Amino acid sequence: MLRNLAFATAIAIGIAAAPVFAQDAPAAASAQALQTPVQVVQSIADQLATAIEGHRDELKHNQEKLISVIDEVFLPHFDLDYASILVLGQHAREATPAQRERFAKAFYNSITHRYAEGLLNYTRGRVKVLPFNGDLNDKRTVVRTQVVLDDGKLVSIDYAFRKGRSGDWKAYDVIIEGISYVTNYRNQVDAEIRKVGIEQLITNLETQGEKALATMAKDNKDKP
């Protein structure tokens, strides 16, 4: 299994984002529209290092502040609406707009709280953004990176981006060593919804947070 740092870094750079209603800040959207997907990833990696360096002890004892760092750094760069629909899969059609919004917010909070502490080991240079070979005229593209673990091992992490109507690029999926975040959690969410229903799943995520996420992952892993 990948170490927490690799997964936390991947989730943070490509997945950790704030609820839908917080993504519409005009200034953030304007700044992001000027960046290519590669520039987005590199900028986040640099901002993350700056935010953590010299503040590890403080952030270690103040998780809410650590979460706020994640919000501030990654907030404008993730398409939570689209990613949440992909994770819900076929169940997105069954959910009401209110349920989809609640799911997106609760799922984000669960992911962020579960992996936030892994970012405390992040240092500048951990993420190496590989040369880009895609076509930015397309509506989708992938940015490839490598994350350096403590033992020097390189982990391949790809970020799938989608171009919005305004021309800005936002990430919606992370692929770690060939394993898609969206696909992995879609399977877990599908199994849980079939077991308890979508409303109960959302309630569990809202009330139990990362504990509900961990239980869901364990149940899925234990299946034959």
Side-chain angles (χ1 to χ4, degrees), residues 131-171:
F132 180 70
N133 297 315
D135 182 357
L136 288 183
N137 293 320
D138 292 338
K139 292 183 178 180
R140 297 172 194 267
T141 193
V142 174
V143 176
R144 304 187 186 282
T145 74
Q146 292 179 329
V147 173
V148 184
L149 302 185
D150 293 335
D151 59 4
K153 179 182 177 182
L154 295 177
V155 176
S156 296
I157 300 179
D158 300 335
Y159 300 93
F161 277 80
R162 176 174 176 257
K163 183 186 286 188
R165 293 181 179 177
S166 62
D168 57 328
W169 290 92
K170 291 187 178 182

Side-chain angles (χ1 to χ4, degrees), residues 46-160:
D46 292 340
Q47 290 180 57
L48 178 62
T50 299
I52 291 178
E53 289 171 357
H55 302 284
R56 282 187 176 81
D57 288 341
E58 178 186 3
L59 294 174
K60 183 178 181 180
H61 297 94
N62 189 341
Q63 190 183 53
E64 289 309 309
K65 188 164 185 176
L66 180 58
I67 297 298
S68 73
V69 167
I70 295 174
D71 288 350
E72 291 169 8
V73 174
F74 311 116
L75 175 61
H77 305 293
F78 184 67
D79 193 338
L80 186 61
D81 278 332
Y82 186 62
S84 296
I85 289 174
L86 291 180
V87 171
L88 282 171
Q90 62 181 338
H91 303 290
R93 295 191 298 271
E94 306 164 6
T96 66
Q99 284 178 321
R100 289 196 294 269
E101 183 174 345
R102 286 172 57 210
F103 172 79
K105 183 177 180 179
F107 192 64
Y108 153 73
N109 286 334
S110 301
I111 289 285
T112 305
H113 282 77
R114 187 177 188 189
Y115 295 105
E117 289 189 7
L119 289 175
L120 293 176
N121 294 321
Y122 179 83
T123 57
R124 196 178 300 275
R126 285 276 191 181
V127 176
K128 178 183 179 182
V129 182
L130 302 181
F132 180 70
N133 297 315
D135 182 357
L136 288 183
N137 293 320
D138 292 338
K139 292 183 178 180
R140 297 172 194 267
T141 193
V142 174
V143 176
R144 304 187 186 282
T145 74
Q146 292 179 329
V147 173
V148 184
L149 302 185
D150 293 335
D151 59 4
K153 179 182 177 182
L154 295 177
V155 176
S156 296
I157 300 179
D158 300 335
Y159 300 93

